[in-house]
Every structure is written in structure tokens, then in C-alpha cells.
Amino acid sequence: MKKFLVGVTALATALVLTACSGNAGGSAPGGGAVAQGDPAGGPTTTSAPSSTPATSSPTPTPSSSSSTPKPTSSKPKPKPKPTPKPTPKPAPKPAANAADVPCKAALASPGVSACVDLSALKTWLLQDGKVIYGPVKQLPGKKGHATPTGVFHVSAKVKNYHSKAFDAPMPNSVFFLPGIAFHTGSLSVYSHGCIHLSAAASQKYFTTLQNGDVVQVVA
């Protein structure tokens, strides 16, 4: 009887050992996962680590500090100034024609000379037979005090002459006869024998004519 019990006990022990150690780390009879021993004494279940999907890198977003460059404001270009139009030059006056001068002696005289046309109320300055000034308007003596006609010569020049006979100023007087001269005077009132000229013309005659120059007066 003892031998029988010993044999049974040995068989049971072998079965227990086979159940605890023979299948450690193996597969269970049904093909399932086997519980592994926990170092603390409790069973734990292991499973394959789940693969974490790779995190895609986020799309970079533009920095908030960066901003779209604003167009640079430029000042409007100043309008080009209009080109000033050239001032038209006055057409030159045609040269006086010596053929219009009725004083043959004055035209033939060398140097400076003067011609007076009583009927046309004109006068000229000549040089070597060419017109250098005029014609300009003149006013001679009135009836009863007519300016003498003929060929004369400058005898005297007085810048600020004053007539004692008529108590009148006679600026720029150029005498070619006693008491008869070119001078500044009215161009609307006839004289007592002198040749009235404008202030500008009398100044020209005063500076141009010299003593001895020919003065011819024609009717």
C-alpha cells in the first residue's frame, strides 16, 4: 500500500512540474498568449507595441512679424515747365532810300549833312550821301516867318539856349542862320523860322551835326 501511494504522489508531482515549467514562455494549448510571471508574483499580459504613426511636420506658417511690404509712396513728379516762347524780334525797318531825299547838295556833300523838306514836313541826317537818320517829322516857320530855303552851314550849337526875342527855351539848338536853328519844339505849332523837332530828334541832331556841316532847306 505504501508503494502505491508513493507512486501516485510521484506521478502527481511530475504532472504539476510539467504544467508549471514545460510550457513556460510557450503557447497555450488553444494557441493563445500565455501569461508570463510577474516579478512581483502577479501575472501580466504583454502585447505587441502599437506603432505610433509618424507625426507629420506642421506646415510652416508665415511669421506674424512679417508683413507684406507696402508700396513706397513716391511724390508725384512735378509737371515740366512750359518752354517759354521766344519773343519775336521786331522786323527791321527798311533802310531809308537816299533817292527819297530831295536835297542834292546835301547828298553830294562829303561827311555829315542835313536836309529839310518844308512841304513834306520831313528832315534827314546824311553821311557821304547815305541816310543815317530819318526821315523824322519837323515843323518849320509859319507864314510871315517862313524858314529860308538854300544851302547853309552849321554856325553854332547851344545846349540850353533861351530866346530873348520870344522869351522861350530852345533846347539842343543847332544854328545854321542867325536866329534860325534846329531845336526842341512843338510839332503842332509852327515856329518863327526855326525847325521844330521832337526831344529825341533834336538830341540826335545836336550830337551829330558839327560846325561847318552842310544844311540844305528845300521848299
Side-chain angles (χ1 to χ4, degrees):
M1 187 69 180
K2 272 183 182 182
K3 291 180 178 182
F4 177 79
L5 292 172
V6 171
V8 171
T9 301
L11 180 62
T13 302
L15 290 173
V16 171
L17 291 174
T18 301
C20 294
S21 61
N23 289 326
S27 298
V34 178
Q36 295 180 346
D38 181 61
T44 58
T45 303
T46 60
S47 61
S50 61
S51 60
T52 303
T55 304
S56 60
S57 59
T59 303
T61 57
S63 173
S64 60
S65 61
S66 63
S67 59
T68 304
K70 296 181 180 180
T72 304
S73 61
S74 58
K75 294 182 180 179
K77 295 182 178 179
K79 295 181 179 179
K81 294 182 180 180
T83 304
K85 296 181 179 179
T87 304
K89 295 182 179 180
K93 294 181 180 180
N97 191 348
D100 297 332
V101 179
C103 302
K104 294 181 179 180
L107 287 169
S109 175
V112 177
S113 61
C115 174
V116 179
D117 187 340
L118 296 178
S119 59
L121 303 180
K122 295 178 181 180
T123 180
W124 297 258
L125 286 176
L126 313 168
Q127 183 165 15
D128 299 324
K130 295 180 180 179
V131 177
I132 59 172
Y133 184 71
V136 293
K137 185 178 180 180
Q138 56 84 15
L139 213 58
K142 58 187 177 181
K143 288 183 179 181
H145 297 278
T147 303
T149 60
V151 178
F152 312 101
H153 295 82
V154 175
S155 57
K157 295 168 57 176
V158 182
K159 180 65 176 176
N160 295 301
Y161 183 77
H162 189 94
S163 173
K164 293 179 181 180
F166 302 103
D167 191 19
M170 296 167 53
N172 298 324
S173 289
V174 180
F175 290 91
F176 55 89
L177 277 171
I180 306 296
F182 294 106
H183 67 80
T184 303
S186 172
L187 293 179
S188 60
V189 178
Y190 285 85
S191 72
H192 286 84
C194 290
I195 302 297
H196 283 180
L197 300 172
S198 68
S202 70
Q203 176 65 30
K204 181 68 173 180
Y205 274 58
F206 187 84
T207 57
T208 304
L209 291 170
Q210 305 299 327
N211 288 349
D213 289 341
V214 171
V215 175
Q216 184 175 7
V217 181
V218 297

